[in-house]
Amino acid sequence: MGNLRAGVIPVTPFQQNCTILFDEELKCGVVVDPGGEVERIRGAIEDNGIAVEAIWLTHGHIDHAGGAMDLKEALGVPLIGSHEDDRELLANLENQARMFGLDQSVRNVTPDRYLSEGETVSFGEHEFEVFHCPGHAPGHVVFFNRKARFAHVGDVLFNGSVGRTDLPGGDHDALIRSIREKLLPLGDDIGFLCGHGPGGRFGDERRSNPFLV
């Protein structure tokens, strides 16, 4: 089995971290949260020779899912996630675009399947456990690779901060429970990538994140 690698492409004015997770040896992978600028994402995939097997969504906000349907159609791959509690968000991305005054090319999203707590998703030989972590969005999920000690946490947790909870469906208490009860117990050594800005390690966040100490 090749090494698990990640490439991050900040897209749109939100500077959202669209992530390509891939196997270094097999050159297969997935795209996590294609928020927009689909041609840039496709260019990165082609430049690195990655055979994309699926698109995974952490949650249904426009900055993470705005380009999902266009990329799905361009690549001809399944669109998986987030949790079904995000159904309404994903079905109203075009309204979100109008609310933010954004590019009207954004399309509503209908996943090929939603994800539930305890499921696994994979590409190549890399398996990720799915954790339902509401708070930032009702159906937010986190992808955790136990063997690599790595998590993609979307907008649940940031380096030095946590996801905002003032958007529709947000719940600060639920967000903090998701972090304390599901993520931090995985171990201080877990490295993570997030939806905006730099990643980090769970132990550093447990010790110094002002929202958690």
Side-chain angles (χ1 to χ4, degrees), residues 7-206:
V8 175
I9 310 161
V11 295
T12 76
F14 293 108
Q15 288 296 283
Q16 181 266 326
N17 291 335
C18 174
T19 304
I20 303 172
L21 299 175
F22 65 98
D23 184 290
E24 186 176 41
E25 181 180 320
L26 299 176
K27 293 293 186 180
C28 62
V30 296
V31 178
V32 182
D33 289 354
E37 298 187 58
V38 168
E39 290 306 312
R40 278 190 63 214
I41 299 169
R42 291 182 65 188
I45 293 165
E46 292 165 7
D47 289 347
N48 290 279
I50 307 300
V52 173
E53 297 182 1
I55 298 164
W56 297 350
L57 295 181
T58 63
H59 65 292
H61 288 156
I62 191 169
D63 54 332
H64 289 252
M69 291 302 287
D70 283 350
L71 188 64
K72 167 187 165 59
E73 291 177 2
L75 299 179
V77 298
L79 175 56
I80 300 170
S82 46
H83 186 279
E84 192 167 10
D85 286 353
D86 270 1
R87 182 187 293 270
E88 186 173 350
L89 285 175
L90 290 168
N92 284 281
L93 290 179
E94 293 165 20
N95 289 335
Q96 287 186 47
R98 284 190 286 272
M99 182 175 68
F100 285 107
L102 297 176
D103 186 343
Q104 295 304 303
S105 67
V106 169
R107 296 164 59 192
N108 295 335
V109 167
T110 303
D112 291 289
R113 71 182 178 97
Y114 291 99
L115 293 169
S116 299
E117 176 87 17
E119 282 192 71
T120 60
V121 290
S122 63
F123 62 88
E125 298 178 359
H126 301 284
E127 184 175 86
F128 289 76
E129 300 169 41
V130 175
F131 293 88
H132 179 207
C133 294
H136 175 68
H140 201 302
V141 296
V142 164
F143 301 106
F144 175 54
N145 186 295
R146 195 170 294 272
K147 186 172 292 186
R149 311 297 289 163
F150 164 77
H152 194 301
V153 300
D155 284 1
V156 172
L157 178 67
F158 297 117
N159 188 319
S161 188
V162 297
R164 59 187 294 184
T165 54
D166 58 337
L167 298 170
D171 183 328
H172 182 76
D173 290 342
L175 180 73
I176 299 302
R177 281 197 304 273
S178 291
I179 296 169
R180 291 190 181 280
E181 296 177 8
K182 295 188 179 181
L183 300 187
L184 297 186
L186 295 173
D188 282 359
D189 64 316
I190 304 300
F192 69 89
L193 288 177
C194 47
H196 305 266
R201 292 198 179 276
F202 285 176
D204 294 332
E205 301 311 311
R206 182 181 59 78

